[in-house]
């Protein structure tokens, strides 16, 4: 597609519920990133994929967070047993660059705003 | 470890005023990359500029200019003759070589009033 598409745009979850957030990167982009942006803060790195391989998941805050990109295009970020501190905007970004794509900058989506009540 | 500080949380100016957004960074690497992104109310982060650590030349793009000074570890962003459409949150970010993690500052919310 023309840009990075994320769905849903907004998600309200009850505490303890599982959620799945979807990212459609720009077609052909090799690298895909997930970031978490808390209210009033800058985005914080969660995980990085190069094609279908998850090369870095050092930013995932707990084992309740899981991301996948099985065919090297669409990615899903899953959060199990959501808690209030998970409330944030989750941003997806993609890049045509391969390894160390972060040094080139990426194209971001508009994000999914998750509110856990 | 890499760190980006944007000390200005919010700035408010009147249209046509010039405004400078400050960014100070910390890194132990000699090779690194600095970015500015704009986040309008719609939420997406819009890329503005990328500079590498070996290129200290200042850059001008229309009403935007950037001042990179390694001596003070700063990468400041100036908007000349600001417009209402410039209202947004602006983020400075740093990437180190051989690293997948782009580190963002907390952002500066710029409001330009007519």
């Amino acid at each position: 597609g023309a840009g990075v598409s994320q769905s849903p745009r907004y998600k309200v979850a009850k505490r303890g519920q599982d959620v799945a957030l979807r990212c459609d990167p720009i077609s052909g982009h090799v690298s895909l990133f997930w970031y978490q942006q808390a209210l009033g803060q800058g985005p914080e790195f969660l995980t990085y994929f190069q094609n279908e391989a998850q090369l870095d998941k050092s930013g995932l805050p707990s084992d309740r967070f899981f991301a996948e990109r099985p065919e090297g295009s669409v990615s899903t970020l899953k959060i199990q047993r959501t808690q209030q501190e998970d409330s944030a905007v989750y941003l997806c970004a993609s890049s045509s660059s391969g390894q160390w794509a972060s040094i080139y900058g990426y194209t971001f989506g508009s994000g999914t705003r998750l509110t856990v009540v | 470890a890499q760190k980006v500080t944007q000390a200005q949380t919010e700035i408010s100016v009147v249209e046509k005023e010039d405004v400078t957004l400050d960014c100070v960074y910390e890194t132990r690497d000699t090779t690194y990359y600095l970015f500015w992104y704009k986040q309008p109310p719609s939420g997406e982060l819009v890329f503005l500029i990328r500079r590498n650590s070996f290129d200290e030349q200042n850059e001008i793009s229309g009403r935007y200019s950037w001042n990179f000074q390694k001596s003070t570890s700063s990468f400041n962003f100036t908007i000349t003759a600001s417009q209402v459409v410039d209202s947004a949150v602006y983020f400075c970010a740093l990437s180190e070589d051989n690293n997948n993690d782009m580190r963002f500052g907390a952002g500066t919310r710029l409001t330009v009033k007519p």
Side-chain angles (χ1 to χ4, degrees):
Chain A
V4 178
S5 178
Q6 292 188 246
S7 61
R9 189 76 174 90
Y10 302 94
K11 176 69 178 177
V12 178
K14 291 185 178 179
R15 192 168 53 181
Q17 187 178 353
D18 297 349
V19 297
L21 313 179
R22 177 187 169 102
C23 172
D24 279 273
I26 293 174
S27 180
H29 274 197
V30 169
S31 294
L32 185 145
F33 301 79
W34 283 99
Y35 278 77
Q36 179 190 58
Q37 185 177 13
L39 187 64
Q41 299 297 317
E44 292 192 357
F45 172 81
L46 292 177
T47 187
Y48 162 62
F49 289 86
Q50 188 178 128
N51 297 307
E52 69 278 3
Q54 188 175 22
L55 299 186
D56 189 341
K57 53 182 180 180
S58 61
L60 295 176
S62 76
D63 57 8
R64 296 186 296 104
F65 286 71
F66 171 77
E68 59 182 5
R69 193 186 185 198
E71 297 179 359
S73 55
V74 171
S75 177
T76 304
L77 176 66
K78 297 179 179 178
I79 309 173
Q80 297 176 325
R81 305 181 303 281
T82 52
Q83 300 178 4
Q84 282 194 317
E85 60 262 31
D86 300 334
S87 295
V89 175
Y90 291 85
L91 293 163
C92 177
S94 70
S95 170
S96 57
S97 300
Q99 194 172 21
W100 317 130
S102 64
I103 69 175
Y104 298 105
Y106 350 110
T107 302
F108 281 87
S110 296
T112 294
R113 181 176 297 277
L114 172 66
T115 303
V116 181
V117 298
Chain B
Q2 57 193 110
K3 182 180 177 182
V4 177
T5 301
Q6 294 180 256
Q8 303 151 308
T9 305
E10 294 191 33
I11 300 176
S12 182
V13 299
V14 176
E15 207 170 18
K16 298 185 183 176
E17 284 186 19
D18 298 348
V19 57
T20 296
L21 310 182
D22 297 334
C23 173
V24 174
Y25 61 91
E26 294 177 29
T27 177
R28 293 177 183 169
D29 279 17
T30 55
T31 303
Y32 53 90
Y33 304 83
L34 295 163
F35 302 82
W36 276 94
Y37 281 87
K38 174 181 180 180
Q39 189 173 44
S42 53
E44 79 277 17
L45 283 158
V46 178
F47 170 85
L48 297 178
I49 190 171
R50 167 185 179 268
R51 301 307 298 259
N52 73 56
S53 53
F54 299 108
D55 183 2
E56 285 193 73
Q57 279 199 357
N58 292 329
E59 183 158 335
I60 298 174
S61 176
R63 295 184 297 107
Y64 295 171
S65 62
W66 291 270
N67 183 356
F68 176 26
Q69 291 195 340
K70 288 179 74 171
S71 61
T72 55
S73 297
S74 66
F75 186 43
N76 296 338
F77 173 31
T78 297
I79 302 174
T80 303
S82 59
Q83 300 176 1
V84 173
V85 293
D86 296 328
S87 297
V89 181
Y90 290 86
F91 291 96
C92 180
L94 166 70
S95 282
E96 295 171 336
D97 220 6
N98 301 324
N99 196 332
N100 294 305
D101 179 0
M102 182 181 289
R103 189 65 54 90
F104 285 81
T108 298
R109 180 178 298 279
L110 173 65
T111 302
V112 181
K113 298 178 180 177

